[in-house]
Amino acid sequence: MSIKKRIFRVLECVLLIILFVMFIFPFYWTLITSVKGLYEAVAYPPTFWPSEFHFENYAQAWKHADFAHFGKNSIFMSVGATIILMLSCTMAAYGFARFEFKGKKGLFFLMMADIVIPAQVIFLPIFVMYSKMKLLNTYASYFFLFVYSGGVIFFLRNAFKQVPAELVEAARLDGASEFSVMFRVMLPAVKPFMITQIMLSFISKWNGYFWIQTLTTNDHIRTLPIAMNRLSSIGEEFISAWNVTMAGNVMLMAPLLILYIFANRQIKVAFIGNGIK
Amino acid sequence: MPIILKDIKKIYPGSKEPVIEGLNLTIKDGSFTVLLGPSGCGKTTTLRMIAGLEDVTEGTITVDNTDITRMEPGDRNLAMVFQNYAIYPHMSVKGNIEFGLKNYKMTKEQIAQRIKDVLELTGLTEFANRMPNQLSGGQRQRVALARAISKSPKAFLMDEPLSNLDAKLRNQMRSELIQMFKQMETTFVYVTHDQVEALTMATDIVVMHNGKIMQQGSPKEIYRNPQNIFVAQFIGDPGMNVFLLDDGNYIGFKPRGLRSSGSDRDFSFEADLLTSEFLGFDYQYTFETGMGRIVMRSIDELEPDNHYRLYVQDADLFFFDKDQNVCEPFAIGGLKGVYHADE
Ligand SMILES: Nc1ncnc2c1ncn2[C@@H]1O[C@H](COP(=O)(O)OP(=O)(O)OP(=O)(O)O)[C@@H](O)[C@H]1O
Ligand SMILES: [Mg+2]
């Protein structure tokens, strides 16, 4: 190995270490703070390893943030919204990718508009509409928001477009029905894209704050991220219970981490094992 | 029973000009029919209309006396092999074959038996459970063939199935296809722009140009008796030399019909030798006649940079009328220039 190459490798390693620390440190900090005592969590200078382990922080977080109620909401609403979103958007994307029909251009334009218009612009009319329809604080009001997403449709449409036309034609010659073509040929061919999109959708619903905060007036359909607010107000006078807050955050993040590890392997298998050639 | 295309016209959506017009073609039952022609002449379009993958603008297609013009591709009982194989990437070799059979009224045992038979026939038995990305190009094309065979179709439609393979594999697959054809006793419709493929495999060649059929016949007929200048110049390696005459008619002769010596009775003209290429068995010479270039294939060795008188015997001359169709021999008048159909 030449000297130049060696220097390059060293630099590469240093850079990787810096990046690693930058990304891992917040995780580490959250994790150790979550098991510190109330005072140690806010002590200065901070400790990098807890002097005592307070696992009861987790029980406290669970109780104060009412994980039983909000957690149930989080799971039900994230899973439900993701299923609804994927079902409707997959079919819409499939239609845009495969068929010619009247008004396709116009519809496509509307769909793109959805990508450009931020939620902050439309939440007020939606709020008014829901309130008049007496839909506020109902699960339905939340799910209605996700029957449609321009971004997801656009992404999946492009994925479908990449599937060679001959595959569909081969299937048609094999006597496959339109449904069979979609579910047995097209969907498996875009599996990595589907998994990616399911992941992204689920994560954004799980972490979602904006819509739930703006479209609810009570706790009935609120979710964990909002419940986290309650944790900072416990503790003693002038001292927020950072340890309990962090314990809550760890429990909030854990499902996503598990999901990521699982899906990451899936995505790799899908991409490497079944690439479209 | 034959596949009959009657008065076919095809206009692609969004364009005004038809790519195919007034096409009449009978593909004989049990024939190995090759659609041959230059790029863009409409071979693929024709094949896809037979398969049902492309709408027919006007005209009818019948198979076994059944009008299939508007029938769903899956109901036509035809199998197609694509240039890029088009095997399902997420299904095993077995799965690929099974997918089509499941839509037939067959029992599980019948399907399993059929899969076993075709895998054996195509030499894929040991790869039954492999995924397509674990196969070579040749093996993938074989899977596509196996999938087609498994359906026992009325006809096989193939669109340049060998063009993605390297030369050696192509030769091998070519002979396998010929063998397959002999075993199956089914109609093959095969698209290619490679005349060697056409001449070696076909029982019937259909030469197409600009969406029209220029000639249909056996390889020998096509090669020996071209009906018009286009076919004469398209077939052969290289194609026929053609002179346009003062009276508007044409005469032609093959590069192998041209000689460097002859008698006074022969048709002859003078030319300068420009280049010579040694091709192993013989030479290919290019001459400048002063009216354009012509090509000669010969085993004779010629001196470079020389001036020659070149001869064509009567038996080697082809006569074409003003419409460029072959005609009775006529007295040859003055030469006007060398003619190329594709210019
Ligand atoms: N989907 C399409 N839309 C519009 N025009 C098309 C379409 N497909 C083919 N064409 C046109 O139709 C003509 C015939 O095309 P076709 O693919 O049948 O040619 P081909 O003989 O198979 O050529 P090649 O040897 O290059 O495959 C071409 O001029 C082509 O540009
Ligand atoms: Mg083609």
Side-chain angles (χ1 to χ4, degrees):
Chain A
M1 220 194 283
S2 72
I3 293 195
K4 211 171 154 189
K5 256 190 183 163
R6 245 181 239 190
I7 294 176
F8 200 73
R9 269 217 74 96
V10 171
L11 281 178
E12 206 175 80
C13 286
V14 170
L15 194 72
L16 279 175
I17 290 170
I18 293 175
L19 282 176
F20 183 75
V21 171
M22 271 170 59
F23 282 107
I24 287 299
F25 189 73
F27 277 108
Y28 173 73
W29 195 248
T30 307
L31 211 58
I32 57 162
T33 308
S34 74
V35 288
K36 285 177 179 176
L38 178 62
Y39 296 103
E40 193 183 353
V42 292
Y44 188 86
T47 53
F48 283 84
W49 191 250
S51 54
E52 307 172 305
F53 286 88
H54 292 267
F55 290 110
E56 74 276 10
N57 293 344
Y58 281 82
Q60 264 205 319
W62 184 277
K63 198 178 96 213
H64 284 284
D66 198 356
F67 264 68
H69 172 69
F70 294 106
K72 186 199 75 195
N73 272 354
S74 265
I75 293 171
F76 174 60
M77 288 160 69
S78 303
V79 171
T82 301
I83 291 175
I84 290 171
L85 184 74
M86 291 314 290
L87 275 180
S88 75
C89 290
T90 305
M91 288 198 254
Y94 189 77
F96 273 123
R98 278 263 291 132
F99 303 119
E100 292 305 322
F101 50 89
K102 267 221 175 87
K104 183 174 171 176
K105 283 219 175 90
L107 275 177
F108 197 74
F109 179 79
L110 273 179
M111 180 193 83
M112 296 301 281
D114 175 62
I115 299 175
V116 211
I117 297 171
Q120 285 78 354
V121 175
I122 50 170
F123 84 87
L124 205 59
I126 290 183
F127 181 85
V128 173
M129 184 175 79
Y130 277 178
S131 129
K132 290 205 165 145
M133 292 169 79
K134 305 231 174 328
L135 277 175
L136 287 181
N137 302 313
T138 62
Y139 290 113
S141 73
Y142 180 74
F143 290 138
F144 277 146
L145 294 173
F146 300 107
V147 281
Y148 168 83
S149 154
V152 178
I153 295 176
F154 186 64
F155 179 91
L156 289 178
R157 164 196 172 264
N158 291 352
F160 282 130
K161 282 224 158 210
Q162 281 178 17
V163 180
E166 285 90 346
L167 272 192
V168 176
E169 293 173 350
R172 287 182 65 201
L173 280 162
D174 270 344
S177 65
E178 195 57 57
F179 263 92
S180 188
V181 170
M182 174 162 164
F183 285 106
R184 305 221 21 229
V185 177
M186 287 292 253
L187 281 186
V190 299
K191 189 171 153 199
F193 300 93
M194 292 291 291
I195 292 177
T196 311
Q197 213 42 252
I198 290 172
M199 286 276 297
L200 289 176
S201 165
F202 183 80
I203 292 171
S204 77
K205 307 293 166 286
W206 184 264
N207 292 334
Y209 195 94
F210 177 79
W211 282 114
I212 296 179
Q213 185 69 324
T214 48
L215 293 182
T216 55
T217 54
N218 63 35
D219 284 344
H220 181 57
I221 67 158
R222 284 187 182 157
T223 51
L224 285 175
I226 291 164
M228 287 300 128
N229 285 337
R230 302 174 162 202
L231 296 180
S232 54
S233 60
I234 59 173
E236 293 173 14
E237 213 175 342
F238 305 123
I239 305 177
S240 295
W242 280 111
N243 51 349
V244 180
T245 304
M246 291 304 169
N249 280 334
V250 170
M251 286 192 284
L252 178 65
M253 272 181 343
L256 291 187
L257 280 178
I258 293 166
L259 182 73
Y260 175 76
I261 290 163
F262 171 74
N264 189 34
R265 196 183 308 151
Q266 279 288 306
I267 291 173
K268 272 188 193 147
V269 168
F271 268 110
I272 300 165
N274 265 333
I276 305 165
K277 289 202 184 169
Chain B
M1 294 281 207
I3 303 174
I4 299 171
L5 286 76
K6 197 157 172 294
D7 298 325
I8 297 293
K9 179 172 176 179
K10 172 67 186 177
I11 302 176
Y12 274 105
S15 78
K16 292 205 166 59
E17 287 299 303
V19 293
I20 287 172
E21 202 168 6
L23 183 97
N24 283 289
L25 173 62
T26 300
I27 295 166
K28 290 192 216 93
D29 189 31
S31 70
F32 195 126
T33 298
V34 171
L35 305 183
L36 177 67
S39 190
C41 70
K43 309 178 292 286
T44 298
T45 306
T46 307
L47 195 74
R48 289 169 56 84
M49 285 192 292
I50 299 174
L53 298 174
E54 211 63 76
D55 288 336
V56 178
T57 313
E58 271 172 36
T60 54
I61 301 176
T62 54
V63 179
D64 282 2
N65 292 334
T66 319
D67 187 341
I68 60 159
T69 317
R70 312 264 166 239
M71 208 185 259
E72 277 295 308
D75 299 334
R76 297 185 181 206
N77 205 356
L78 304 170
M80 183 144 170
V81 177
F82 295 85
Q83 181 173 358
N84 62 1
Y85 324 130
I87 48 182
Y88 310 118
H90 52 281
M91 297 182 201
S92 67
V93 170
K94 219 165 118 184
N96 263 278
I97 302 170
E98 201 172 16
F99 183 76
L101 295 180
K102 274 190 180 157
N103 296 317
Y104 284 20
K105 286 190 185 68
M106 289 172 77
T107 65
K108 269 208 172 99
E109 292 74 35
Q110 283 172 318
I111 291 181
Q113 186 59 40
R114 182 73 67 83
I115 293 175
K116 193 164 158 280
D117 292 346
V118 237
L119 287 178
E120 250 164 54
L121 187 75
T122 47
L124 286 169
T125 309
E126 57 179 309
F127 304 108
N129 294 314
R130 289 260 189 107
M131 297 305 282
N133 61 351
Q134 301 167 314
L135 298 175
S136 71
Q139 288 163 342
R140 276 181 221 179
Q141 192 55 290
R142 214 163 285 178
V143 175
L145 282 175
R147 184 173 67 183
I149 297 170
S150 73
K151 300 200 283 179
S152 326
K154 283 183 187 150
F156 290 95
L157 311 176
M158 308 193 181
D159 192 356
E160 312 210 19
L162 306 186
S163 60
N164 279 1
L165 304 177
D166 64 47
K168 199 174 150 211
L169 207 53
R170 194 153 56 218
N171 279 335
Q172 188 191 333
M173 289 296 281
R174 201 152 72 198
S175 40
E176 277 182 34
L177 273 179
I178 296 172
Q179 262 176 15
M180 212 178 101
F181 168 67
K182 287 189 175 142
Q183 271 179 26
M184 300 275 181
E185 299 174 339
T186 318
T187 314
F188 279 47
V189 188
Y190 188 104
V191 163
T192 182
H193 60 256
D194 178 348
Q195 52 169 308
V196 180
E197 241 170 50
L199 291 169
T200 50
M201 299 206 281
T203 59
D204 268 74
I205 294 181
V206 179
V207 183
M208 294 180 66
H209 180 47
N210 285 340
K212 293 196 174 54
I213 293 174
M214 303 308 284
Q215 187 174 353
Q216 180 175 12
S218 72
K220 277 181 193 153
E221 275 163 26
I222 298 270
Y223 189 80
R224 292 187 185 151
N225 304 313
Q227 291 297 303
N228 48 59
I229 295 180
F230 177 81
V231 175
Q233 295 201 315
F234 186 72
I235 302 284
D237 178 29
M240 191 178 277
N241 298 298
V242 174
F243 278 114
L244 172 62
L245 306 176
D246 285 334
D247 57 9
N249 295 322
Y250 303 83
I251 53 160
F253 45 88
K254 298 197 172 190
R256 285 197 176 80
L258 198 55
R259 287 156 222 268
S260 53
S261 62
S263 77
D264 294 344
R265 284 177 290 109
D266 292 342
F267 168 68
S268 70
F269 57 93
E270 302 206 337
D272 292 316
L273 180 54
L274 284 183
T275 62
S276 66
E277 296 160 61
F278 179 56
L279 297 177
F281 174 69
D282 58 359
Y283 294 86
Q284 177 164 319
Y285 299 107
T286 308
F287 289 93
E288 176 58 57
T289 61
M291 297 174 286
R293 288 178 185 186
I294 56 151
V295 177
M296 168 175 166
R297 283 288 282 266
S298 170
I299 49 172
D300 299 338
E301 208 173 330
L302 299 185
E303 290 284 316
D305 303 326
N306 239 335
H307 189 75
Y308 285 93
R309 175 160 279 275
L310 300 171
Y311 301 84
V312 187
Q313 293 176 355
D314 283 350
D316 291 329
L317 276 177
F318 291 79
F319 297 85
F320 301 98
D321 61 19
K322 295 183 177 65
D323 298 328
Q324 309 199 345
N325 292 319
V326 102
C327 65
E328 292 297 311
F330 47 73
I332 302 168
L335 304 182
K336 198 167 184 181
V338 172
Y339 176 81
H340 291 287
D342 50 359
E343 278 165 13

Coordinates of all heavy atoms in Angstrom, one line a residue, chain A residues 18 38 59 64 70 135 214 249 262:
Chain A
I18 N -15.8 10.0 13.8 CA -16.5 11.3 14.1 C -18.0 11.1 13.8 O -18.8 11.5 14.7 CB -15.9 12.5 13.3 CG1 -14.4 12.7 13.8 CG2 -16.7 13.7 13.5 CD1 -13.7 13.8 12.9
L38 N -32.7 11.4 40.0 CA -33.2 12.8 39.6 C -32.1 13.8 39.6 O -32.0 14.6 38.7 CB -34.3 13.1 40.6 CG -35.0 14.5 40.4 CD1 -35.7 14.6 39.1 CD2 -35.9 14.8 41.6
A59 N -40.9 2.6 35.1 CA -42.2 2.4 35.7 C -42.9 3.7 35.9 O -44.1 3.9 35.5 CB -42.1 1.7 37.0
H64 N -46.9 7.8 34.5 CA -47.2 9.3 34.3 C -47.6 9.6 32.9 O -48.5 10.5 32.7 CB -46.1 10.1 34.8 CG -45.9 10.2 36.3 ND1 -46.8 11.0 37.0 CD2 -45.1 9.6 37.1 CE1 -46.5 10.8 38.3 NE2 -45.4 10.0 38.4
F70 N -52.1 5.9 25.8 CA -51.5 6.6 24.7 C -50.7 5.6 23.8 O -50.7 5.7 22.6 CB -50.6 7.7 25.1 CG -51.4 8.8 25.8 CD1 -51.3 9.0 27.2 CD2 -52.1 9.7 25.0 CE1 -52.0 10.0 27.8 CE2 -52.9 10.7 25.6 CZ -52.8 10.9 27.0
L135 N -66.4 15.5 14.0 CA -65.5 14.4 13.9 C -64.2 14.6 14.8 O -63.4 13.7 14.8 CB -65.0 14.3 12.4 CG -65.9 13.5 11.5 CD1 -65.3 13.6 10.0 CD2 -66.0 12.0 11.9
T214 N -53.1 19.4 16.6 CA -54.0 20.5 16.1 C -55.4 20.0 16.0 O -56.4 20.8 16.0 CB -53.5 20.9 14.7 OG1 -53.3 19.8 13.9 CG2 -52.3 21.8 14.8
N249 N -38.7 8.5 26.6 CA -38.3 8.6 25.2 C -37.7 7.2 24.7 O -37.9 6.9 23.6 CB -37.2 9.7 25.1 CG -37.9 11.0 25.0 OD1 -39.0 11.1 24.5 ND2 -37.2 12.1 25.4
F262 N -35.2 -5.1 12.0 CA -35.9 -6.1 11.3 C -36.0 -5.8 9.8 O -35.7 -6.6 8.9 CB -37.3 -6.4 11.9 CG -38.1 -7.3 11.1 CD1 -37.9 -8.7 11.1 CD2 -39.2 -6.8 10.3 CE1 -38.7 -9.5 10.3 CE2 -40.0 -7.6 9.6 CZ -39.8 -9.0 9.6

